[in-house]
Amino acid sequence: MHTLRDRFGRRFSYLRLSVTDVCNFRCEYCLPNGYQGRPRGFLSVAEIRRLVTAFAQLGTFKVRLTGGEPSVRRDFLDIVRTVREVPGVQRLAMTTNAYRLERDAEALKASGMDAVNVSLDGLDATQFQRITGDRRFDRVMAGIDRALAVGIDRIKINTVLLKGLNDHQLGDFFEFVRTRPISLRFIELMRTGDNQAYFDRHHVGGELVRTQLDGAGWQPCAPGRGDGPAVEYAHPDYAGRIGIIAPYAPGFCEGCNRLRVTARGGLRLCLFGHGSADLRPLLARDDQLEALKTHIMSALFEKRPAHFLGQGDFGDTAHLASTGG
Ligand code: SF4
């Protein structure tokens, strides 16, 4: 079996697949004016099956379904079942704003979803609405509890760390995992094409969280196989964990293990890269599988050693909804 490796010896076992760039929230740091695109032309279930089959045959064992908001797709459960059935896919995860998680949790579990990451930047309805432009805080919280109740294996919270908005509430976020077996990860706000002013106002480094964790007796945990970039911490008095995703930290890209495919079939070598390799012409028929695998491997040769955010190069990612974060 070939393995997806780049020129720097990094192995890519993790595919982040965006199934739509549509989102129904208006997060200030991403789509402050709401979705403005053309909500069509996304990969079909058959194209997704062919795509994931190729990646799995190249050694990818973890697939994350992202958006926009993936669950806005009416055929989302079909996609989940289809990806779950692809030989070689050992872990299936999704990232969601959880607006319909309470309703779908049981069906997701039954369809083979192993892990759910919920985007949640505020722990009260007012702040939630301020950041997301949406009023469904209670439904999101009920969705998290429902996902726990139906026994989805891994539930995580993604919280974008925002200066002047939630950086003074770290204690409340720590408290959130005292009794919940959930991993809550603070993510440094990332610069994208559309958010310069917001970034300048609200970016703060993950060091802020690390200092508080160290001061309160939290201990770093060893990363698991196929895990993403989060550094997680545990504490004997807490059922859950706290994590930090710090793209601005030195060495962040050394362990890069993920590739992204956009909702219209573009292979993105890096979240902060330029351009994408169009895979869609090779997703039309099953007999194109070998050509598709060759195309993916040759495209990977172009992957850069790291992002260049520190040099002001944030690639051509207009906003995170366009690539699935
Ligand atoms: S920024 Fe790019 S190179 Fe760095 S970890 Fe993320 S995807 Fe990999």
Side-chain angles (χ1 to χ4, degrees), residues 10 252-253 256 258 260 269-272 303 306-307:
R10 295 174 297 189
F252 178 79
C253 301
C256 183
R258 52 212 167 273
R260 291 169 173 83
L269 300 177
C270 171
L271 180 56
F272 303 106
K303 185 170 170 75
H307 65 62

Side-chain angles (χ1 to χ4, degrees), residues 5 23 27 56 61 86 99 109 112 127 212 215 261 279 284 297 318:
R5 280 184 198 282
C23 188
C27 297
F61 61 78
V86 172
Y99 87 103
K109 172 75 177 171
Q127 189 184 49
Q212 288 212 20
V261 174
L279 304 179
M297 288 200 291

Side-chain angles (χ1 to χ4, degrees), residues 24 34 71 86 104 113 118 132 179 214 222 239 247 260 280 296 316:
N24 54 351
S71 63
V86 172
D104 293 348
M113 186 61 72
V118 174
T132 65
T179 57
D214 291 346
R260 291 169 173 83
R280 197 155 203 177
I296 293 168
D316 56 8

Side-chain angles (χ1 to χ4, degrees), residues 76-131:
F76 185 62
L77 287 174
D78 294 340
I79 293 171
V80 173
R81 283 187 283 268
T82 300
V83 173
R84 181 80 267 181
E85 286 160 11
V86 172
V89 173
Q90 296 165 21
R91 283 170 59 186
L92 179 53
M94 68 183 285
T95 299
T96 175
N97 64 24
Y99 87 103
R100 55 194 295 175
L101 183 57
E102 185 187 13
R103 196 197 71 170
D104 293 348
E106 201 154 6
L108 287 167
K109 172 75 177 171
S111 304
M113 186 61 72
D114 298 314
V116 173
N117 287 30
V118 174
S119 306
L120 182 68
D121 307 317
L123 289 177
D124 67 73
T126 309
Q127 189 184 49
F128 177 89
Q129 185 179 352
R130 153 77 206 259
I131 297 170

